[in-house]
Amino acid sequence: MTTETIPVPEIHCGHCQRSIEGALQPLDGVARASVDIDARHVTVDYDDAIIERDALVAAIEDQGYVVPPKEA
């Protein structure tokens, strides 16, 4: 199991939380997705043999949010 913290600077309310968690939770390989409104990030526990980080980011961006590029 991999845990990834993904910054989403536009998170600011409960709607954002429900939208993002609702997009991530049903994805195959995602065990848990939790939005921290105050910290403006999403923590996702997932099986990286089933789903890649890029798919998680795409699901967030499909909801209309911008995910900054991951720093190397």
Side-chain angles (χ1 to χ4, degrees):
M1 193 67 54
T2 300
T3 299
E4 183 85 33
T5 300
I6 302 171
V8 185
E10 297 170 329
I11 293 173
H12 65 274
C13 66
H15 176 267
C16 300
Q17 179 181 21
R18 289 185 299 278
S19 176
I20 293 170
E21 288 176 357
L24 293 171
Q25 290 284 39
L27 297 177
D28 287 339
V30 173
R32 184 182 71 88
S34 177
V35 171
D36 184 326
I37 296 170
D38 294 330
R40 296 186 173 165
H41 68 243
V42 183
T43 302
V44 186
D45 296 328
Y46 66 101
D47 184 339
D48 61 2
I50 297 173
I51 190 167
E52 296 180 359
R53 182 186 189 277
D54 289 346
L56 303 174
V57 170
I60 295 168
E61 290 179 338
D62 284 349
Q63 297 303 305
Y65 299 94
V66 174
V67 175
K70 185 175 181 178
E71 295 180 16

Short mmCIF file of all heavy atoms in Angstrom, two decimals:
data_model
loop_
_atom_site.label_atom_id
_atom_site.label_comp_id
_atom_site.label_asym_id
_atom_site.label_seq_id
_atom_site.Cartn_x
_atom_site.Cartn_y
_atom_site.Cartn_z
N MET A 1 0.86 -1.18 0.00
CA MET A 1 0.00 0.00 0.00
C MET A 1 0.90 1.24 0.00
O MET A 1 1.88 1.31 0.73
CB MET A 1 -0.89 -0.02 1.24
CG MET A 1 -2.03 0.95 1.22
SD MET A 1 -3.35 0.70 0.01
CE MET A 1 -3.87 -0.95 0.29
N THR A 2 0.56 2.18 -0.82
CA THR A 2 1.28 3.44 -0.94
C THR A 2 0.40 4.56 -0.40
O THR A 2 -0.81 4.56 -0.63
CB THR A 2 1.62 3.73 -2.42
OG1 THR A 2 2.44 2.68 -2.91
CG2 THR A 2 2.33 5.05 -2.58
N THR A 3 1.00 5.49 0.31
CA THR A 3 0.29 6.68 0.76
C THR A 3 0.89 7.88 0.06
O THR A 3 2.10 8.08 0.08
CB THR A 3 0.39 6.85 2.29
OG1 THR A 3 -0.19 5.71 2.93
CG2 THR A 3 -0.33 8.11 2.74
N GLU A 4 0.03 8.64 -0.56
CA GLU A 4 0.46 9.82 -1.33
C GLU A 4 -0.29 11.04 -0.81
O GLU A 4 -1.51 10.98 -0.61
CB GLU A 4 0.13 9.59 -2.81
CG GLU A 4 0.57 10.69 -3.72
CD GLU A 4 2.02 10.53 -4.15
OE1 GLU A 4 2.50 9.40 -4.29
OE2 GLU A 4 2.67 11.57 -4.35
N THR A 5 0.42 12.13 -0.59
CA THR A 5 -0.21 13.39 -0.24
C THR A 5 -0.11 14.30 -1.46
O THR A 5 0.99 14.59 -1.94
CB THR A 5 0.47 14.04 0.97
OG1 THR A 5 0.37 13.13 2.08
CG2 THR A 5 -0.19 15.35 1.34
N ILE A 6 -1.27 14.69 -1.96
CA ILE A 6 -1.34 15.47 -3.20
C ILE A 6 -1.85 16.87 -2.88
O ILE A 6 -2.97 17.02 -2.37
CB ILE A 6 -2.29 14.79 -4.22
CG1 ILE A 6 -1.81 13.36 -4.50
CG2 ILE A 6 -2.39 15.62 -5.50
CD1 ILE A 6 -2.79 12.53 -5.32
N PRO A 7 -1.06 17.90 -3.14
CA PRO A 7 -1.51 19.27 -2.88
C PRO A 7 -2.59 19.69 -3.88
O PRO A 7 -2.48 19.41 -5.08
CB PRO A 7 -0.25 20.11 -3.04
CG PRO A 7 0.62 19.32 -3.93
CD PRO A 7 0.29 17.87 -3.70
N VAL A 8 -3.63 20.33 -3.37
CA VAL A 8 -4.68 20.88 -4.22
C VAL A 8 -5.02 22.26 -3.64
O VAL A 8 -5.88 22.40 -2.77
CB VAL A 8 -5.93 19.98 -4.25
CG1 VAL A 8 -6.96 20.52 -5.24
CG2 VAL A 8 -5.58 18.53 -4.61
N PRO A 9 -4.30 23.29 -4.08
CA PRO A 9 -4.43 24.62 -3.48
C PRO A 9 -5.83 25.22 -3.51
O PRO A 9 -6.16 26.08 -2.70
CB PRO A 9 -3.47 25.48 -4.31
CG PRO A 9 -2.52 24.53 -4.93
CD PRO A 9 -3.28 23.26 -5.11
N GLU A 10 -6.67 24.76 -4.44
CA GLU A 10 -8.01 25.34 -4.58
C GLU A 10 -9.03 24.78 -3.59
O GLU A 10 -10.17 25.23 -3.57
CB GLU A 10 -8.51 25.12 -6.01
CG GLU A 10 -7.65 25.81 -7.04
CD GLU A 10 -7.99 25.40 -8.46
OE1 GLU A 10 -8.42 24.26 -8.66
OE2 GLU A 10 -7.82 26.24 -9.34
N ILE A 11 -8.66 23.79 -2.78
CA ILE A 11 -9.59 23.25 -1.79
C ILE A 11 -9.91 24.33 -0.77
O ILE A 11 -9.00 24.96 -0.22
CB ILE A 11 -8.98 22.03 -1.06
CG1 ILE A 11 -8.81 20.85 -2.02
CG2 ILE A 11 -9.83 21.63 0.14
CD1 ILE A 11 -8.06 19.68 -1.43
N HIS A 12 -11.22 24.55 -0.53
CA HIS A 12 -11.57 25.57 0.46
C HIS A 12 -12.88 25.30 1.20
O HIS A 12 -13.25 26.09 2.07
CB HIS A 12 -11.61 26.96 -0.21
CG HIS A 12 -12.68 27.09 -1.23
ND1 HIS A 12 -12.51 26.71 -2.54
CD2 HIS A 12 -13.95 27.54 -1.15
CE1 HIS A 12 -13.62 26.93 -3.21
NE2 HIS A 12 -14.51 27.44 -2.40
N CYS A 13 -13.58 24.20 0.86
CA CYS A 13 -14.87 23.99 1.51
C CYS A 13 -15.28 22.53 1.49
O CYS A 13 -14.61 21.68 0.90
CB CYS A 13 -15.95 24.83 0.81
SG CYS A 13 -16.30 24.31 -0.89
N GLY A 14 -16.39 22.25 2.13
CA GLY A 14 -16.92 20.90 2.20
C GLY A 14 -17.30 20.35 0.84
O GLY A 14 -17.18 19.14 0.60
N HIS A 15 -17.77 21.21 -0.06
CA HIS A 15 -18.10 20.74 -1.41
C HIS A 15 -16.85 20.21 -2.10
O HIS A 15 -16.89 19.17 -2.76
CB HIS A 15 -18.74 21.84 -2.24
CG HIS A 15 -19.00 21.42 -3.65
ND1 HIS A 15 -18.09 21.64 -4.66
CD2 HIS A 15 -20.04 20.75 -4.20
CE1 HIS A 15 -18.57 21.13 -5.78
NE2 HIS A 15 -19.75 20.59 -5.53
N CYS A 16 -15.75 20.93 -1.96
CA CYS A 16 -14.49 20.48 -2.54
C CYS A 16 -14.12 19.10 -1.99
O CYS A 16 -13.73 18.20 -2.73
CB CYS A 16 -13.35 21.46 -2.22
SG CYS A 16 -13.57 23.14 -2.81
N GLN A 17 -14.25 18.97 -0.69
CA GLN A 17 -13.93 17.70 -0.02
C GLN A 17 -14.78 16.57 -0.58
O GLN A 17 -14.26 15.53 -0.96
CB GLN A 17 -14.14 17.85 1.48
CG GLN A 17 -13.87 16.59 2.26
CD GLN A 17 -14.12 16.77 3.75
OE1 GLN A 17 -14.83 17.68 4.17
NE2 GLN A 17 -13.54 15.92 4.54
N ARG A 18 -16.09 16.75 -0.63
CA ARG A 18 -16.99 15.70 -1.11
C ARG A 18 -16.72 15.38 -2.58
O ARG A 18 -16.75 14.21 -2.99
CB ARG A 18 -18.44 16.11 -0.90
CG ARG A 18 -18.86 16.11 0.56
CD ARG A 18 -20.34 16.39 0.74
NE ARG A 18 -20.74 17.70 0.24
CZ ARG A 18 -20.61 18.84 0.91
NH1 ARG A 18 -20.07 18.84 2.11
NH2 ARG A 18 -21.01 19.99 0.38
N SER A 19 -16.47 16.39 -3.37
CA SER A 19 -16.22 16.20 -4.80
C SER A 19 -14.97 15.36 -5.05
O SER A 19 -14.99 14.39 -5.81
CB SER A 19 -16.09 17.57 -5.47
OG SER A 19 -15.76 17.44 -6.82
N ILE A 20 -13.89 15.72 -4.38
CA ILE A 20 -12.62 15.02 -4.58
C ILE A 20 -12.66 13.61 -3.99
O ILE A 20 -12.27 12.64 -4.65
CB ILE A 20 -11.45 15.84 -4.01
CG1 ILE A 20 -11.28 17.13 -4.83
CG2 ILE A 20 -10.16 15.02 -4.01
CD1 ILE A 20 -10.34 18.13 -4.23
N GLU A 21 -13.14 13.49 -2.76
CA GLU A 21 -13.21 12.16 -2.14
C GLU A 21 -14.15 11.26 -2.95
O GLU A 21 -13.87 10.08 -3.15
CB GLU A 21 -13.68 12.26 -0.70
CG GLU A 21 -12.62 12.84 0.22
CD GLU A 21 -13.09 13.04 1.66
OE1 GLU A 21 -14.28 12.77 1.96
OE2 GLU A 21 -12.26 13.46 2.49
N GLY A 22 -15.25 11.82 -3.44
CA GLY A 22 -16.20 11.05 -4.24
C GLY A 22 -15.62 10.58 -5.56
O GLY A 22 -16.02 9.55 -6.10
N ALA A 23 -14.69 11.34 -6.11
CA ALA A 23 -14.05 10.95 -7.37
C ALA A 23 -12.98 9.88 -7.15
O ALA A 23 -12.75 9.04 -8.03
CB ALA A 23 -13.43 12.18 -8.04
N LEU A 24 -12.32 9.91 -6.00
CA LEU A 24 -11.21 8.99 -5.75
C LEU A 24 -11.65 7.66 -5.14
O LEU A 24 -11.13 6.60 -5.50
CB LEU A 24 -10.17 9.64 -4.84
CG LEU A 24 -9.41 10.82 -5.44
CD1 LEU A 24 -8.59 11.53 -4.37
CD2 LEU A 24 -8.52 10.35 -6.58
N GLN A 25 -12.59 7.69 -4.20
CA GLN A 25 -12.96 6.49 -3.46
C GLN A 25 -13.37 5.31 -4.34
O GLN A 25 -12.98 4.18 -4.06
CB GLN A 25 -14.09 6.79 -2.47
CG GLN A 25 -13.67 7.66 -1.31
CD GLN A 25 -12.87 6.94 -0.24
OE1 GLN A 25 -12.03 6.09 -0.52
NE2 GLN A 25 -13.12 7.30 0.99
N PRO A 26 -14.14 5.52 -5.41
CA PRO A 26 -14.57 4.37 -6.20
C PRO A 26 -13.52 3.78 -7.15
O PRO A 26 -13.73 2.74 -7.75
CB PRO A 26 -15.77 4.89 -7.00
CG PRO A 26 -15.72 6.36 -6.94
CD PRO A 26 -14.82 6.75 -5.81
N LEU A 27 -12.37 4.43 -7.27
CA LEU A 27 -11.35 3.95 -8.20
C LEU A 27 -10.76 2.63 -7.70
O LEU A 27 -10.46 2.49 -6.51
CB LEU A 27 -10.23 4.99 -8.35
CG LEU A 27 -10.63 6.33 -8.96
CD1 LEU A 27 -9.43 7.27 -8.98
CD2 LEU A 27 -11.18 6.14 -10.37
N ASP A 28 -10.58 1.69 -8.62
CA ASP A 28 -9.95 0.42 -8.28
C ASP A 28 -8.55 0.69 -7.74
O ASP A 28 -7.78 1.44 -8.35
CB ASP A 28 -9.85 -0.49 -9.50
CG ASP A 28 -11.19 -1.08 -9.90
OD1 ASP A 28 -12.10 -1.12 -9.05
OD2 ASP A 28 -11.32 -1.50 -11.06
N GLY A 29 -8.24 0.09 -6.62
CA GLY A 29 -6.92 0.24 -6.02
C GLY A 29 -6.86 1.29 -4.93
O GLY A 29 -5.89 1.34 -4.17
N VAL A 30 -7.87 2.15 -4.82
CA VAL A 30 -7.88 3.18 -3.79
C VAL A 30 -8.53 2.61 -2.53
O VAL A 30 -9.69 2.18 -2.55
CB VAL A 30 -8.62 4.46 -4.25
CG1 VAL A 30 -8.77 5.44 -3.09
CG2 VAL A 30 -7.89 5.10 -5.41
N ALA A 31 -7.77 2.59 -1.44
CA ALA A 31 -8.29 2.09 -0.17
C ALA A 31 -8.95 3.21 0.63
O ALA A 31 -9.96 3.00 1.30
CB ALA A 31 -7.17 1.46 0.66
N ARG A 32 -8.37 4.42 0.54
CA ARG A 32 -8.89 5.55 1.30
C ARG A 32 -8.43 6.84 0.65
O ARG A 32 -7.30 6.95 0.19
CB ARG A 32 -8.36 5.49 2.74
CG ARG A 32 -8.91 6.58 3.66
CD ARG A 32 -8.29 6.48 5.05
NE ARG A 32 -6.89 6.87 5.05
CZ ARG A 32 -6.45 8.11 5.22
NH1 ARG A 32 -7.30 9.10 5.40
NH2 ARG A 32 -5.16 8.38 5.21
N ALA A 33 -9.33 7.81 0.63
CA ALA A 33 -8.99 9.16 0.17
C ALA A 33 -9.56 10.14 1.18
O ALA A 33 -10.73 10.06 1.53
CB ALA A 33 -9.57 9.42 -1.21
N SER A 34 -8.72 11.04 1.66
CA SER A 34 -9.14 11.99 2.69
C SER A 34 -8.63 13.38 2.34
O SER A 34 -7.44 13.58 2.13
CB SER A 34 -8.58 11.55 4.03
OG SER A 34 -8.89 12.47 5.04
N VAL A 35 -9.56 14.33 2.29
CA VAL A 35 -9.21 15.72 2.00
C VAL A 35 -9.04 16.48 3.31
O VAL A 35 -9.88 16.40 4.19
CB VAL A 35 -10.32 16.39 1.15
CG1 VAL A 35 -10.08 17.89 1.03
CG2 VAL A 35 -10.40 15.75 -0.23
N ASP A 36 -7.95 17.21 3.42
CA ASP A 36 -7.71 18.11 4.55
C ASP A 36 -7.94 19.52 4.02
O ASP A 36 -7.10 20.06 3.28
CB ASP A 36 -6.30 17.94 5.09
CG ASP A 36 -6.03 18.78 6.33
OD1 ASP A 36 -6.58 19.91 6.44
OD2 ASP A 36 -5.27 18.31 7.18
N ILE A 37 -9.08 20.09 4.38
CA ILE A 37 -9.45 21.41 3.86
C ILE A 37 -8.45 22.47 4.31
O ILE A 37 -8.02 23.31 3.51
CB ILE A 37 -10.88 21.79 4.29
CG1 ILE A 37 -11.89 20.81 3.67
CG2 ILE A 37 -11.22 23.23 3.88
CD1 ILE A 37 -13.30 20.94 4.22
N ASP A 38 -8.07 22.46 5.59
CA ASP A 38 -7.17 23.48 6.11
C ASP A 38 -5.78 23.41 5.47
O ASP A 38 -5.18 24.44 5.16
CB ASP A 38 -7.05 23.36 7.63
CG ASP A 38 -8.35 23.69 8.34
OD1 ASP A 38 -9.14 24.50 7.81
OD2 ASP A 38 -8.60 23.10 9.41
N ALA A 39 -5.27 22.19 5.28
CA ALA A 39 -3.93 22.03 4.70
C ALA A 39 -3.97 22.07 3.17
O ALA A 39 -2.92 22.16 2.53
CB ALA A 39 -3.31 20.72 5.16
N ARG A 40 -5.17 21.97 2.62
CA ARG A 40 -5.38 22.00 1.16
C ARG A 40 -4.60 20.90 0.45
O ARG A 40 -3.87 21.14 -0.52
CB ARG A 40 -5.06 23.37 0.59
CG ARG A 40 -6.02 24.41 1.13
CD ARG A 40 -5.85 25.74 0.50
NE ARG A 40 -6.93 26.60 0.99
CZ ARG A 40 -6.95 27.88 0.87
NH1 ARG A 40 -5.98 28.51 0.27
NH2 ARG A 40 -7.97 28.58 1.33
N HIS A 41 -4.79 19.68 0.97
CA HIS A 41 -4.20 18.53 0.29
C HIS A 41 -5.10 17.31 0.46
O HIS A 41 -6.00 17.29 1.29
CB HIS A 41 -2.77 18.24 0.76
CG HIS A 41 -2.66 17.76 2.16
ND1 HIS A 41 -1.99 18.47 3.12
CD2 HIS A 41 -3.11 16.65 2.79
CE1 HIS A 41 -2.03 17.82 4.26
NE2 HIS A 41 -2.71 16.71 4.09
N VAL A 42 -4.82 16.30 -0.35
CA VAL A 42 -5.54 15.03 -0.33
C VAL A 42 -4.54 13.94 0.03
O VAL A 42 -3.46 13.88 -0.57
CB VAL A 42 -6.16 14.72 -1.70
CG1 VAL A 42 -6.98 13.44 -1.65
CG2 VAL A 42 -6.99 15.88 -2.21
N THR A 43 -4.90 13.10 0.98
CA THR A 43 -4.08 11.94 1.30
C THR A 43 -4.80 10.72 0.77
O THR A 43 -5.97 10.50 1.07
CB THR A 43 -3.86 11.83 2.82
OG1 THR A 43 -3.23 13.03 3.29
CG2 THR A 43 -2.96 10.64 3.15
N VAL A 44 -4.08 9.94 -0.04
CA VAL A 44 -4.67 8.77 -0.67
C VAL A 44 -3.83 7.54 -0.33
O VAL A 44 -2.62 7.55 -0.53
CB VAL A 44 -4.75 8.93 -2.21
CG1 VAL A 44 -5.50 7.77 -2.84
CG2 VAL A 44 -5.38 10.25 -2.60
N ASP A 45 -4.50 6.51 0.17
CA ASP A 45 -3.88 5.20 0.37
C ASP A 45 -4.32 4.34 -0.81
O ASP A 45 -5.53 4.17 -1.03
CB ASP A 45 -4.34 4.56 1.68
CG ASP A 45 -3.92 5.35 2.90
OD1 ASP A 45 -2.85 5.99 2.86
OD2 ASP A 45 -4.65 5.33 3.90
N TYR A 46 -3.36 3.82 -1.57
CA TYR A 46 -3.71 3.07 -2.76
C TYR A 46 -2.68 2.00 -3.07
O TYR A 46 -1.55 2.04 -2.59
CB TYR A 46 -3.87 4.00 -3.96
CG TYR A 46 -2.60 4.70 -4.41
CD1 TYR A 46 -1.89 4.24 -5.51
CD2 TYR A 46 -2.11 5.81 -3.74
CE1 TYR A 46 -0.72 4.88 -5.93
CE2 TYR A 46 -0.96 6.45 -4.15
CZ TYR A 46 -0.27 5.98 -5.25
OH TYR A 46 0.89 6.61 -5.65
N ASP A 47 -3.09 1.04 -3.88
CA ASP A 47 -2.23 -0.04 -4.33
C ASP A 47 -1.62 0.38 -5.65
O ASP A 47 -2.32 0.43 -6.68
CB ASP A 47 -3.05 -1.32 -4.48
CG ASP A 47 -2.22 -2.53 -4.86
OD1 ASP A 47 -1.09 -2.36 -5.39
OD2 ASP A 47 -2.70 -3.65 -4.64
N ASP A 48 -0.32 0.68 -5.65
CA ASP A 48 0.31 1.18 -6.87
C ASP A 48 0.51 0.10 -7.93
O ASP A 48 0.94 0.39 -9.04
CB ASP A 48 1.61 1.92 -6.57
CG ASP A 48 2.66 1.05 -5.90
OD1 ASP A 48 2.41 -0.15 -5.68
OD2 ASP A 48 3.73 1.59 -5.58
N ALA A 49 0.17 -1.15 -7.61
CA ALA A 49 0.17 -2.20 -8.62
C ALA A 49 -1.13 -2.17 -9.44
O ALA A 49 -1.20 -2.75 -10.52
CB ALA A 49 0.34 -3.57 -7.97
N ILE A 50 -2.14 -1.47 -8.90
CA ILE A 50 -3.44 -1.40 -9.56
C ILE A 50 -3.68 -0.04 -10.20
O ILE A 50 -4.25 0.06 -11.30
CB ILE A 50 -4.57 -1.71 -8.55
CG1 ILE A 50 -4.41 -3.14 -8.03
CG2 ILE A 50 -5.95 -1.50 -9.18
CD1 ILE A 50 -5.37 -3.50 -6.91
N ILE A 51 -3.26 1.02 -9.54
CA ILE A 51 -3.52 2.37 -10.03
C ILE A 51 -2.28 3.24 -9.82
O ILE A 51 -1.56 3.07 -8.82
CB ILE A 51 -4.76 2.99 -9.34
CG1 ILE A 51 -5.19 4.29 -10.02
CG2 ILE A 51 -4.54 3.16 -7.84
CD1 ILE A 51 -6.57 4.78 -9.60
N GLU A 52 -2.02 4.13 -10.75
CA GLU A 52 -0.86 5.01 -10.66
C GLU A 52 -1.26 6.38 -10.15
O GLU A 52 -2.42 6.79 -10.25
CB GLU A 52 -0.21 5.15 -12.04
CG GLU A 52 0.35 3.86 -12.58
CD GLU A 52 0.99 4.03 -13.95
OE1 GLU A 52 0.98 5.15 -14.51
OE2 GLU A 52 1.50 3.03 -14.47
N ARG A 53 -0.27 7.11 -9.63
CA ARG A 53 -0.51 8.46 -9.14
C ARG A 53 -1.15 9.35 -10.21
O ARG A 53 -2.02 10.16 -9.92
CB ARG A 53 0.79 9.09 -8.65
CG ARG A 53 0.61 10.49 -8.07
CD ARG A 53 1.95 11.14 -7.73
NE ARG A 53 1.77 12.38 -6.99
CZ ARG A 53 1.52 13.56 -7.56
NH1 ARG A 53 1.40 13.66 -8.86
NH2 ARG A 53 1.38 14.64 -6.80
N ASP A 54 -0.70 9.19 -11.44
CA ASP A 54 -1.25 10.01 -12.53
C ASP A 54 -2.76 9.85 -12.67
O ASP A 54 -3.46 10.81 -12.99
CB ASP A 54 -0.58 9.66 -13.86
CG ASP A 54 0.87 10.12 -13.93
OD1 ASP A 54 1.29 10.93 -13.07
OD2 ASP A 54 1.59 9.67 -14.84
N ALA A 55 -3.28 8.66 -12.42
CA ALA A 55 -4.72 8.43 -12.49
C ALA A 55 -5.44 9.13 -11.34
O ALA A 55 -6.56 9.62 -11.50
CB ALA A 55 -5.03 6.94 -12.49
N LEU A 56 -4.80 9.19 -10.18
CA LEU A 56 -5.37 9.90 -9.03
C LEU A 56 -5.46 11.39 -9.35
O LEU A 56 -6.49 12.03 -9.13
CB LEU A 56 -4.52 9.68 -7.78
CG LEU A 56 -4.29 8.23 -7.34
CD1 LEU A 56 -3.32 8.19 -6.17
CD2 LEU A 56 -5.60 7.54 -7.01
N VAL A 57 -4.36 11.92 -9.87
CA VAL A 57 -4.32 13.34 -10.23
C VAL A 57 -5.37 13.64 -11.30
O VAL A 57 -6.09 14.64 -11.22
CB VAL A 57 -2.91 13.75 -10.71
CG1 VAL A 57 -2.91 15.14 -11.32
CG2 VAL A 57 -1.92 13.67 -9.54
N ALA A 58 -5.50 12.76 -12.29
CA ALA A 58 -6.48 12.96 -13.36
C ALA A 58 -7.90 13.00 -12.79
O ALA A 58 -8.73 13.82 -13.22
CB ALA A 58 -6.36 11.87 -14.41
N ALA A 59 -8.20 12.14 -11.82
CA ALA A 59 -9.53 12.11 -11.21
C ALA A 59 -9.81 13.42 -10.48
O ALA A 59 -10.93 13.95 -10.54
CB ALA A 59 -9.66 10.93 -10.26
N ILE A 60 -8.80 13.97 -9.81
CA ILE A 60 -8.96 15.25 -9.12
C ILE A 60 -9.16 16.37 -10.14
O ILE A 60 -10.06 17.20 -10.00
CB ILE A 60 -7.73 15.54 -8.22
CG1 ILE A 60 -7.66 14.52 -7.08
CG2 ILE A 60 -7.79 16.97 -7.66
CD1 ILE A 60 -6.35 14.52 -6.32
N GLU A 61 -8.34 16.37 -11.18
CA GLU A 61 -8.44 17.41 -12.20
C GLU A 61 -9.75 17.32 -12.98
O GLU A 61 -10.28 18.34 -13.41
CB GLU A 61 -7.22 17.36 -13.12
CG GLU A 61 -5.96 17.81 -12.39
CD GLU A 61 -4.70 17.76 -13.23
OE1 GLU A 61 -4.66 17.00 -14.23
OE2 GLU A 61 -3.74 18.47 -12.87
N ASP A 62 -10.30 16.12 -13.12
CA ASP A 62 -11.60 15.95 -13.79
C ASP A 62 -12.72 16.64 -13.00
O ASP A 62 -13.76 16.95 -13.56
CB ASP A 62 -11.94 14.48 -13.96
CG ASP A 62 -11.15 13.83 -15.10
OD1 ASP A 62 -10.51 14.56 -15.89
OD2 ASP A 62 -11.20 12.58 -15.20
N GLN A 63 -12.49 16.88 -11.73
CA GLN A 63 -13.47 17.58 -10.90
C GLN A 63 -13.30 19.10 -10.99
O GLN A 63 -14.04 19.85 -10.36
CB GLN A 63 -13.35 17.12 -9.43
CG GLN A 63 -13.67 15.66 -9.22
CD GLN A 63 -15.05 15.31 -9.71
OE1 GLN A 63 -16.03 15.92 -9.32
NE2 GLN A 63 -15.13 14.33 -10.59
N GLY A 64 -12.29 19.55 -11.75
CA GLY A 64 -12.10 20.98 -11.96
C GLY A 64 -11.02 21.62 -11.11
O GLY A 64 -10.89 22.84 -11.10
N TYR A 65 -10.23 20.82 -10.44
CA TYR A 65 -9.17 21.36 -9.58
C TYR A 65 -7.81 21.22 -10.28
O TYR A 65 -7.61 20.33 -11.10
CB TYR A 65 -9.13 20.61 -8.25
CG TYR A 65 -10.42 20.74 -7.50
CD1 TYR A 65 -11.42 19.77 -7.61
CD2 TYR A 65 -10.69 21.85 -6.72
CE1 TYR A 65 -12.62 19.89 -6.95
CE2 TYR A 65 -11.89 21.99 -6.05
CZ TYR A 65 -12.85 21.01 -6.18
OH TYR A 65 -14.05 21.16 -5.53
N VAL A 66 -6.90 22.11 -9.94
CA VAL A 66 -5.56 22.07 -10.50
C VAL A 66 -4.62 21.43 -9.47
O VAL A 66 -4.61 21.82 -8.31
CB VAL A 66 -5.06 23.49 -10.85
CG1 VAL A 66 -3.62 23.47 -11.30
CG2 VAL A 66 -5.97 24.11 -11.89
N VAL A 67 -3.85 20.46 -9.93
CA VAL A 67 -2.84 19.83 -9.08
C VAL A 67 -1.48 20.29 -9.61
O VAL A 67 -1.15 20.04 -10.77
CB VAL A 67 -2.93 18.29 -9.13
CG1 VAL A 67 -1.81 17.67 -8.34
CG2 VAL A 67 -4.29 17.83 -8.63
N PRO A 68 -0.70 20.98 -8.77
CA PRO A 68 0.61 21.44 -9.22
C PRO A 68 1.51 20.25 -9.55
O PRO A 68 1.33 19.16 -9.00
CB PRO A 68 1.17 22.21 -8.02
CG PRO A 68 0.06 22.39 -7.07
CD PRO A 68 -0.98 21.37 -7.40
N PRO A 69 2.47 20.42 -10.46
CA PRO A 69 3.40 19.34 -10.78
C PRO A 69 4.12 18.88 -9.53
O PRO A 69 4.45 19.67 -8.64
CB PRO A 69 4.38 19.97 -11.76
CG PRO A 69 3.72 21.21 -12.27
CD PRO A 69 2.77 21.64 -11.19
N LYS A 70 4.37 17.57 -9.46
CA LYS A 70 5.09 17.00 -8.33
C LYS A 70 6.55 17.42 -8.39
O LYS A 70 7.18 17.35 -9.44
CB LYS A 70 4.99 15.46 -8.35
CG LYS A 70 5.60 14.81 -7.15
CD LYS A 70 5.35 13.31 -7.17
CE LYS A 70 5.95 12.66 -5.94
NZ LYS A 70 5.69 11.23 -5.91
N GLU A 71 7.05 17.87 -7.26
CA GLU A 71 8.47 18.28 -7.20
C GLU A 71 9.35 17.05 -7.17
O GLU A 71 9.03 16.06 -6.53
CB GLU A 71 8.70 19.15 -5.96
CG GLU A 71 7.96 20.46 -6.01
CD GLU A 71 8.21 21.31 -4.78
OE1 GLU A 71 9.17 21.05 -4.04
OE2 GLU A 71 7.43 22.26 -4.57
N ALA A 72 10.45 17.11 -7.88
CA ALA A 72 11.37 15.96 -7.96
C ALA A 72 12.15 15.78 -6.69
O ALA A 72 12.30 16.58 -5.87
CB ALA A 72 12.31 16.13 -9.12
#
